[in-house]
PDB file of all heavy atoms in Angstrom:
ATOM      1  N   ALA A   1      81.951 -19.424  -7.992  1.00 97.00           N
ATOM      2  CA  ALA A   1      82.415 -20.795  -8.180  1.00 97.00           C
ATOM      3  C   ALA A   1      83.913 -20.861  -8.291  1.00 97.00           C
ATOM      4  O   ALA A   1      84.585 -19.864  -8.532  1.00 97.00           O
ATOM      5  CB  ALA A   1      81.759 -21.366  -9.440  1.00 97.00           C
ATOM      6  N   TRP A   2      84.406 -22.087  -7.998  1.00 98.00           N
ATOM      7  CA  TRP A   2      85.781 -22.418  -8.195  1.00 98.00           C
ATOM      8  C   TRP A   2      85.933 -23.402  -9.381  1.00 98.00           C
ATOM      9  O   TRP A   2      85.175 -24.364  -9.521  1.00 98.00           O
ATOM     10  CB  TRP A   2      86.441 -23.054  -6.988  1.00 98.00           C
ATOM     11  CG  TRP A   2      86.641 -22.124  -5.844  1.00 98.00           C
ATOM     12  CD1 TRP A   2      85.835 -21.978  -4.760  1.00 98.00           C
ATOM     13  CD2 TRP A   2      87.732 -21.228  -5.678  1.00 98.00           C
ATOM     14  NE1 TRP A   2      86.337 -21.044  -3.922  1.00 98.00           N
ATOM     15  CE2 TRP A   2      87.491 -20.511  -4.426  1.00 98.00           C
ATOM     16  CE3 TRP A   2      88.837 -20.931  -6.436  1.00 98.00           C
ATOM     17  CZ2 TRP A   2      88.424 -19.606  -3.938  1.00 98.00           C
ATOM     18  CZ3 TRP A   2      89.750 -19.943  -5.938  1.00 98.00           C
ATOM     19  CH2 TRP A   2      89.470 -19.274  -4.744  1.00 98.00           C
ATOM     20  N   PHE A   3      86.827 -23.112 -10.278  1.00 98.00           N
ATOM     21  CA  PHE A   3      87.233 -24.022 -11.367  1.00 98.00           C
ATOM     22  C   PHE A   3      88.693 -24.272 -11.272  1.00 98.00           C
ATOM     23  O   PHE A   3      89.430 -23.563 -10.574  1.00 98.00           O
ATOM     24  CB  PHE A   3      86.916 -23.420 -12.737  1.00 98.00           C
ATOM     25  CG  PHE A   3      85.430 -23.293 -13.057  1.00 98.00           C
ATOM     26  CD1 PHE A   3      84.644 -22.311 -12.482  1.00 98.00           C
ATOM     27  CD2 PHE A   3      84.859 -24.203 -13.946  1.00 98.00           C
ATOM     28  CE1 PHE A   3      83.256 -22.241 -12.765  1.00 98.00           C
ATOM     29  CE2 PHE A   3      83.461 -24.121 -14.216  1.00 98.00           C
ATOM     30  CZ  PHE A   3      82.684 -23.147 -13.623  1.00 98.00           C
ATOM     31  N   ARG A   4      89.138 -25.328 -11.918  1.00 98.00           N
ATOM     32  CA  ARG A   4      90.606 -25.602 -11.992  1.00 98.00           C
ATOM     33  C   ARG A   4      90.966 -26.157 -13.306  1.00 98.00           C
ATOM     34  O   ARG A   4      90.152 -26.713 -14.032  1.00 98.00           O
ATOM     35  CB  ARG A   4      90.962 -26.594 -10.840  1.00 98.00           C
ATOM     36  CG  ARG A   4      90.428 -27.990 -11.044  1.00 98.00           C
ATOM     37  CD  ARG A   4      90.772 -28.854  -9.795  1.00 98.00           C
ATOM     38  NE  ARG A   4      90.273 -30.230  -9.950  1.00 98.00           N
ATOM     39  CZ  ARG A   4      90.300 -31.121  -9.020  1.00 98.00           C
ATOM     40  NH1 ARG A   4      90.845 -30.805  -7.807  1.00 98.00           N
ATOM     41  NH2 ARG A   4      89.859 -32.347  -9.276  1.00 98.00           N
ATOM     42  N   GLN A   5      92.258 -25.970 -13.619  1.00 98.00           N
ATOM     43  CA  GLN A   5      92.777 -26.409 -14.913  1.00 98.00           C
ATOM     44  C   GLN A   5      94.171 -26.978 -14.717  1.00 98.00           C
ATOM     45  O   GLN A   5      95.040 -26.231 -14.265  1.00 98.00           O
ATOM     46  CB  GLN A   5      92.773 -25.307 -15.976  1.00 98.00           C
ATOM     47  CG  GLN A   5      93.172 -25.746 -17.354  1.00 98.00           C
ATOM     48  CD  GLN A   5      92.861 -24.728 -18.409  1.00 98.00           C
ATOM     49  OE1 GLN A   5      92.851 -23.533 -18.102  1.00 98.00           O
ATOM     50  NE2 GLN A   5      92.786 -25.173 -19.628  1.00 98.00           N
ATOM     51  N   ALA A   6      94.377 -28.229 -14.972  1.00 97.00           N
ATOM     52  CA  ALA A   6      95.653 -28.844 -14.931  1.00 97.00           C
ATOM     53  C   ALA A   6      96.374 -28.769 -16.261  1.00 97.00           C
ATOM     54  O   ALA A   6      95.683 -28.647 -17.304  1.00 97.00           O
ATOM     55  CB  ALA A   6      95.508 -30.340 -14.496  1.00 97.00           C
ATOM     56  N   PRO A   7      97.669 -28.868 -16.307  1.00 92.00           N
ATOM     57  CA  PRO A   7      98.368 -28.823 -17.642  1.00 92.00           C
ATOM     58  C   PRO A   7      97.872 -29.852 -18.594  1.00 92.00           C
ATOM     59  O   PRO A   7      97.727 -31.007 -18.228  1.00 92.00           O
ATOM     60  CB  PRO A   7      99.807 -29.112 -17.208  1.00 92.00           C
ATOM     61  CG  PRO A   7      99.909 -28.646 -15.805  1.00 92.00           C
ATOM     62  CD  PRO A   7      98.594 -28.981 -15.208  1.00 92.00           C
ATOM     63  N   GLY A   8      97.500 -29.400 -19.824  1.00 94.00           N
ATOM     64  CA  GLY A   8      97.102 -30.301 -20.876  1.00 94.00           C
ATOM     65  C   GLY A   8      95.647 -30.746 -20.724  1.00 94.00           C
ATOM     66  O   GLY A   8      95.194 -31.604 -21.494  1.00 94.00           O
ATOM     67  N   ARG A   9      94.881 -30.179 -19.794  1.00 96.00           N
ATOM     68  CA  ARG A   9      93.531 -30.581 -19.576  1.00 96.00           C
ATOM     69  C   ARG A   9      92.619 -29.386 -19.708  1.00 96.00           C
ATOM     70  O   ARG A   9      93.073 -28.228 -19.565  1.00 96.00           O
ATOM     71  CB  ARG A   9      93.369 -31.210 -18.218  1.00 96.00           C
ATOM     72  CG  ARG A   9      94.211 -32.509 -17.981  1.00 96.00           C
ATOM     73  CD  ARG A   9      93.832 -33.188 -16.710  1.00 96.00           C
ATOM     74  NE  ARG A   9      92.421 -33.637 -16.689  1.00 96.00           N
ATOM     75  CZ  ARG A   9      91.852 -34.267 -15.624  1.00 96.00           C
ATOM     76  NH1 ARG A   9      92.534 -34.465 -14.582  1.00 96.00           N
ATOM     77  NH2 ARG A   9      90.615 -34.651 -15.749  1.00 96.00           N
ATOM     78  N   GLU A  10      91.310 -29.604 -19.925  1.00 97.00           N
ATOM     79  CA  GLU A  10      90.295 -28.614 -19.993  1.00 97.00           C
ATOM     80  C   GLU A  10      89.966 -28.104 -18.576  1.00 97.00           C
ATOM     81  O   GLU A  10      90.161 -28.821 -17.596  1.00 97.00           O
ATOM     82  CB  GLU A  10      89.034 -29.165 -20.622  1.00 97.00           C
ATOM     83  CG  GLU A  10      89.189 -29.589 -22.063  1.00 97.00           C
ATOM     84  CD  GLU A  10      89.398 -28.450 -23.015  1.00 97.00           C
ATOM     85  OE1 GLU A  10      88.900 -27.337 -22.719  1.00 97.00           O
ATOM     86  OE2 GLU A  10      90.030 -28.600 -24.042  1.00 97.00           O
ATOM     87  N   ARG A  11      89.547 -26.872 -18.491  1.00 96.00           N
ATOM     88  CA  ARG A  11      89.130 -26.322 -17.272  1.00 96.00           C
ATOM     89  C   ARG A  11      87.897 -27.074 -16.709  1.00 96.00           C
ATOM     90  O   ARG A  11      86.980 -27.368 -17.502  1.00 96.00           O
ATOM     91  CB  ARG A  11      88.764 -24.834 -17.427  1.00 96.00           C
ATOM     92  CG  ARG A  11      88.405 -24.117 -16.145  1.00 96.00           C
ATOM     93  CD  ARG A  11      88.208 -22.625 -16.366  1.00 96.00           C
ATOM     94  NE  ARG A  11      89.467 -21.969 -16.723  1.00 96.00           N
ATOM     95  CZ  ARG A  11      89.599 -20.659 -16.943  1.00 96.00           C
ATOM     96  NH1 ARG A  11      88.520 -19.821 -16.832  1.00 96.00           N
ATOM     97  NH2 ARG A  11      90.724 -20.133 -17.280  1.00 96.00           N
ATOM     98  N   GLU A  12      87.874 -27.422 -15.427  1.00 97.00           N
ATOM     99  CA  GLU A  12      86.809 -28.208 -14.891  1.00 97.00           C
ATOM    100  C   GLU A  12      86.196 -27.521 -13.708  1.00 97.00           C
ATOM    101  O   GLU A  12      86.872 -26.841 -12.939  1.00 97.00           O
ATOM    102  CB  GLU A  12      87.266 -29.627 -14.524  1.00 97.00           C
ATOM    103  CG  GLU A  12      88.286 -29.693 -13.452  1.00 97.00           C
ATOM    104  CD  GLU A  12      88.611 -31.105 -12.993  1.00 97.00           C
ATOM    105  OE1 GLU A  12      87.870 -32.009 -13.316  1.00 97.00           O
ATOM    106  OE2 GLU A  12      89.644 -31.260 -12.363  1.00 97.00           O
ATOM    107  N   PHE A  13      84.933 -27.747 -13.496  1.00 98.00           N
ATOM    108  CA  PHE A  13      84.198 -27.187 -12.417  1.00 98.00           C
ATOM    109  C   PHE A  13      84.623 -27.932 -11.103  1.00 98.00           C
ATOM    110  O   PHE A  13      84.830 -29.120 -11.099  1.00 98.00           O
ATOM    111  CB  PHE A  13      82.654 -27.445 -12.616  1.00 98.00           C
ATOM    112  CG  PHE A  13      81.843 -27.119 -11.423  1.00 98.00           C
ATOM    113  CD1 PHE A  13      81.495 -25.860 -11.102  1.00 98.00           C
ATOM    114  CD2 PHE A  13      81.342 -28.161 -10.659  1.00 98.00           C
ATOM    115  CE1 PHE A  13      80.713 -25.575  -9.982  1.00 98.00           C
ATOM    116  CE2 PHE A  13      80.531 -27.913  -9.555  1.00 98.00           C
ATOM    117  CZ  PHE A  13      80.242 -26.594  -9.206  1.00 98.00           C
ATOM    118  N   VAL A  14      84.734 -27.134  -9.996  1.00 98.00           N
ATOM    119  CA  VAL A  14      85.084 -27.691  -8.713  1.00 98.00           C
ATOM    120  C   VAL A  14      83.957 -27.579  -7.724  1.00 98.00           C
ATOM    121  O   VAL A  14      83.527 -28.510  -7.109  1.00 98.00           O
ATOM    122  CB  VAL A  14      86.387 -27.012  -8.140  1.00 98.00           C
ATOM    123  CG1 VAL A  14      86.725 -27.521  -6.761  1.00 98.00           C
ATOM    124  CG2 VAL A  14      87.550 -27.212  -9.106  1.00 98.00           C
ATOM    125  N   ALA A  15      83.492 -26.331  -7.496  1.00 98.00           N
ATOM    126  CA  ALA A  15      82.405 -26.075  -6.523  1.00 98.00           C
ATOM    127  C   ALA A  15      81.817 -24.735  -6.818  1.00 98.00           C
ATOM    128  O   ALA A  15      82.408 -23.824  -7.420  1.00 98.00           O
ATOM    129  CB  ALA A  15      82.994 -26.109  -5.082  1.00 98.00           C
ATOM    130  N   ALA A  16      80.536 -24.553  -6.388  1.00 98.00           N
ATOM    131  CA  ALA A  16      79.829 -23.296  -6.551  1.00 98.00           C
ATOM    132  C   ALA A  16      79.022 -22.988  -5.330  1.00 98.00           C
ATOM    133  O   ALA A  16      78.567 -23.943  -4.608  1.00 98.00           O
ATOM    134  CB  ALA A  16      78.942 -23.331  -7.790  1.00 98.00           C
ATOM    135  N   ILE A  17      78.667 -21.738  -5.096  1.00 97.00           N
ATOM    136  CA  ILE A  17      77.901 -21.295  -3.954  1.00 97.00           C
ATOM    137  C   ILE A  17      76.958 -20.190  -4.390  1.00 97.00           C
ATOM    138  O   ILE A  17      77.399 -19.286  -5.143  1.00 97.00           O
ATOM    139  CB  ILE A  17      78.823 -20.898  -2.751  1.00 97.00           C
ATOM    140  CG1 ILE A  17      77.998 -20.623  -1.514  1.00 97.00           C
ATOM    141  CG2 ILE A  17      79.763 -19.766  -3.148  1.00 97.00           C
ATOM    142  CD1 ILE A  17      78.867 -20.547  -0.273  1.00 97.00           C
ATOM    143  N   SER A  18      75.751 -20.209  -3.948  1.00 96.00           N
ATOM    144  CA  SER A  18      74.781 -19.209  -4.325  1.00 96.00           C
ATOM    145  C   SER A  18      75.125 -17.876  -3.636  1.00 96.00           C
ATOM    146  O   SER A  18      75.970 -17.799  -2.734  1.00 96.00           O
ATOM    147  CB  SER A  18      73.378 -19.608  -4.045  1.00 96.00           C
ATOM    148  OG  SER A  18      73.181 -19.878  -2.643  1.00 96.00           O
ATOM    149  N   GLY A  19      74.377 -16.814  -3.986  1.00 94.00           N
ATOM    150  CA  GLY A  19      74.735 -15.457  -3.546  1.00 94.00           C
ATOM    151  C   GLY A  19      74.769 -15.252  -2.070  1.00 94.00           C
ATOM    152  O   GLY A  19      75.623 -14.476  -1.594  1.00 94.00           O
ATOM    153  N   ILE A  20      73.887 -15.947  -1.325  1.00 92.00           N
ATOM    154  CA  ILE A  20      73.932 -15.779   0.168  1.00 92.00           C
ATOM    155  C   ILE A  20      74.332 -17.081   0.831  1.00 92.00           C
ATOM    156  O   ILE A  20      74.271 -17.205   2.034  1.00 92.00           O
ATOM    157  CB  ILE A  20      72.570 -15.359   0.702  1.00 92.00           C
ATOM    158  CG1 ILE A  20      71.432 -16.313   0.387  1.00 92.00           C
ATOM    159  CG2 ILE A  20      72.204 -13.902   0.198  1.00 92.00           C
ATOM    160  CD1 ILE A  20      70.130 -15.989   1.057  1.00 92.00           C
ATOM    161  N   GLY A  21      74.839 -18.040   0.060  1.00 93.00           N
ATOM    162  CA  GLY A  21      75.401 -19.217   0.589  1.00 93.00           C
ATOM    163  C   GLY A  21      74.457 -20.373   0.924  1.00 93.00           C
ATOM    164  O   GLY A  21      74.885 -21.403   1.436  1.00 93.00           O
ATOM    165  N   GLY A  22      73.202 -20.243   0.482  1.00 95.00           N
ATOM    166  CA  GLY A  22      72.208 -21.288   0.851  1.00 95.00           C
ATOM    167  C   GLY A  22      72.252 -22.518   0.027  1.00 95.00           C
ATOM    168  O   GLY A  22      71.729 -23.553   0.426  1.00 95.00           O
ATOM    169  N   THR A  23      72.869 -22.454  -1.159  1.00 97.00           N
ATOM    170  CA  THR A  23      72.994 -23.559  -2.057  1.00 97.00           C
ATOM    171  C   THR A  23      74.399 -23.793  -2.420  1.00 97.00           C
ATOM    172  O   THR A  23      75.121 -22.819  -2.810  1.00 97.00           O
ATOM    173  CB  THR A  23      72.121 -23.370  -3.363  1.00 97.00           C
ATOM    174  OG1 THR A  23      70.784 -23.105  -2.968  1.00 97.00           O
ATOM    175  CG2 THR A  23      72.127 -24.595  -4.244  1.00 97.00           C
ATOM    176  N   ILE A  24      74.866 -25.007  -2.408  1.00 98.00           N
ATOM    177  CA  ILE A  24      76.287 -25.416  -2.700  1.00 98.00           C
ATOM    178  C   ILE A  24      76.277 -26.596  -3.661  1.00 98.00           C
ATOM    179  O   ILE A  24      75.499 -27.467  -3.442  1.00 98.00           O
ATOM    180  CB  ILE A  24      77.026 -25.658  -1.404  1.00 98.00           C
ATOM    181  CG1 ILE A  24      77.243 -24.365  -0.611  1.00 98.00           C
ATOM    182  CG2 ILE A  24      78.333 -26.390  -1.698  1.00 98.00           C
ATOM    183  CD1 ILE A  24      77.864 -24.560   0.759  1.00 98.00           C
ATOM    184  N   GLU A  25      77.195 -26.562  -4.569  1.00 98.00           N
ATOM    185  CA  GLU A  25      77.382 -27.737  -5.492  1.00 98.00           C
ATOM    186  C   GLU A  25      78.884 -28.051  -5.505  1.00 98.00           C
ATOM    187  O   GLU A  25      79.712 -27.218  -5.458  1.00 98.00           O
ATOM    188  CB  GLU A  25      76.937 -27.311  -6.912  1.00 98.00           C
ATOM    189  CG  GLU A  25      75.461 -26.921  -7.034  1.00 98.00           C
ATOM    190  CD  GLU A  25      74.491 -28.081  -7.045  1.00 98.00           C
ATOM    191  OE1 GLU A  25      74.985 -29.226  -7.189  1.00 98.00           O
ATOM    192  OE2 GLU A  25      73.292 -27.830  -6.955  1.00 98.00           O
ATOM    193  N   TYR A  26      79.167 -29.370  -5.579  1.00 98.00           N
ATOM    194  CA  TYR A  26      80.516 -29.828  -5.642  1.00 98.00           C
ATOM    195  C   TYR A  26      80.656 -30.829  -6.811  1.00 98.00           C
ATOM    196  O   TYR A  26      79.748 -31.583  -7.110  1.00 98.00           O
ATOM    197  CB  TYR A  26      80.925 -30.569  -4.370  1.00 98.00           C
ATOM    198  CG  TYR A  26      81.064 -29.728  -3.166  1.00 98.00           C
ATOM    199  CD1 TYR A  26      80.062 -29.798  -2.189  1.00 98.00           C
ATOM    200  CD2 TYR A  26      82.155 -28.899  -2.966  1.00 98.00           C
ATOM    201  CE1 TYR A  26      80.179 -29.016  -1.047  1.00 98.00           C
ATOM    202  CE2 TYR A  26      82.254 -28.114  -1.819  1.00 98.00           C
ATOM    203  CZ  TYR A  26      81.281 -28.198  -0.863  1.00 98.00           C
ATOM    204  OH  TYR A  26      81.426 -27.464   0.287  1.00 98.00           O
ATOM    205  N   ALA A  27      81.833 -30.798  -7.471  1.00 98.00           N
ATOM    206  CA  ALA A  27      82.203 -31.880  -8.349  1.00 98.00           C
ATOM    207  C   ALA A  27      82.368 -33.219  -7.567  1.00 98.00           C
ATOM    208  O   ALA A  27      82.828 -33.163  -6.400  1.00 98.00           O
ATOM    209  CB  ALA A  27      83.421 -31.549  -9.131  1.00 98.00           C
ATOM    210  N   ASP A  28      82.051 -34.314  -8.164  1.00 98.00           N
ATOM    211  CA  ASP A  28      82.148 -35.576  -7.501  1.00 98.00           C
ATOM    212  C   ASP A  28      83.642 -35.827  -7.014  1.00 98.00           C
ATOM    213  O   ASP A  28      83.863 -36.454  -6.011  1.00 98.00           O
ATOM    214  CB  ASP A  28      81.751 -36.716  -8.378  1.00 98.00           C
ATOM    215  CG  ASP A  28      80.240 -36.792  -8.540  1.00 98.00           C
ATOM    216  OD1 ASP A  28      79.490 -36.135  -7.716  1.00 98.00           O
ATOM    217  OD2 ASP A  28      79.706 -37.413  -9.461  1.00 98.00           O
ATOM    218  N   SER A  29      84.584 -35.342  -7.777  1.00 97.00           N
ATOM    219  CA  SER A  29      85.979 -35.598  -7.484  1.00 97.00           C
ATOM    220  C   SER A  29      86.433 -34.900  -6.226  1.00 97.00           C
ATOM    221  O   SER A  29      87.471 -35.394  -5.688  1.00 97.00           O
ATOM    222  CB  SER A  29      86.873 -35.122  -8.652  1.00 97.00           C
ATOM    223  OG  SER A  29      86.693 -33.735  -8.957  1.00 97.00           O
ATOM    224  N   VAL A  30      85.776 -33.910  -5.765  1.00 98.00           N
ATOM    225  CA  VAL A  30      86.186 -33.203  -4.555  1.00 98.00           C
ATOM    226  C   VAL A  30      85.207 -33.330  -3.381  1.00 98.00           C
ATOM    227  O   VAL A  30      85.512 -32.898  -2.286  1.00 98.00           O
ATOM    228  CB  VAL A  30      86.482 -31.725  -4.804  1.00 98.00           C
ATOM    229  CG1 VAL A  30      87.435 -31.581  -5.972  1.00 98.00           C
ATOM    230  CG2 VAL A  30      85.225 -30.952  -5.118  1.00 98.00           C
ATOM    231  N   LYS A  31      84.070 -33.928  -3.622  1.00 98.00           N
ATOM    232  CA  LYS A  31      83.030 -34.058  -2.629  1.00 98.00           C
ATOM    233  C   LYS A  31      83.543 -34.780  -1.334  1.00 98.00           C
ATOM    234  O   LYS A  31      84.187 -35.846  -1.511  1.00 98.00           O
ATOM    235  CB  LYS A  31      81.776 -34.724  -3.180  1.00 98.00           C
ATOM    236  CG  LYS A  31      80.510 -34.577  -2.374  1.00 98.00           C
ATOM    237  CD  LYS A  31      79.299 -35.125  -3.112  1.00 98.00           C
ATOM    238  CE  LYS A  31      79.081 -34.386  -4.410  1.00 98.00           C
ATOM    239  NZ  LYS A  31      77.895 -34.887  -5.158  1.00 98.00           N
ATOM    240  N   GLY A  32      83.336 -34.234  -0.178  1.00 98.00           N
ATOM    241  CA  GLY A  32      83.838 -34.821   1.004  1.00 98.00           C
ATOM    242  C   GLY A  32      85.216 -34.385   1.418  1.00 98.00           C
ATOM    243  O   GLY A  32      85.623 -34.620   2.579  1.00 98.00           O
TER     244      GLY A  32
END
């Protein structure tokens, strides 16, 4: 998975991918 953290903010989830790539999840803020 990818996470990100901006100054002064909590770390947030960005995207994740399963072991062989069959399942993907995105945060709404980056979807598309």
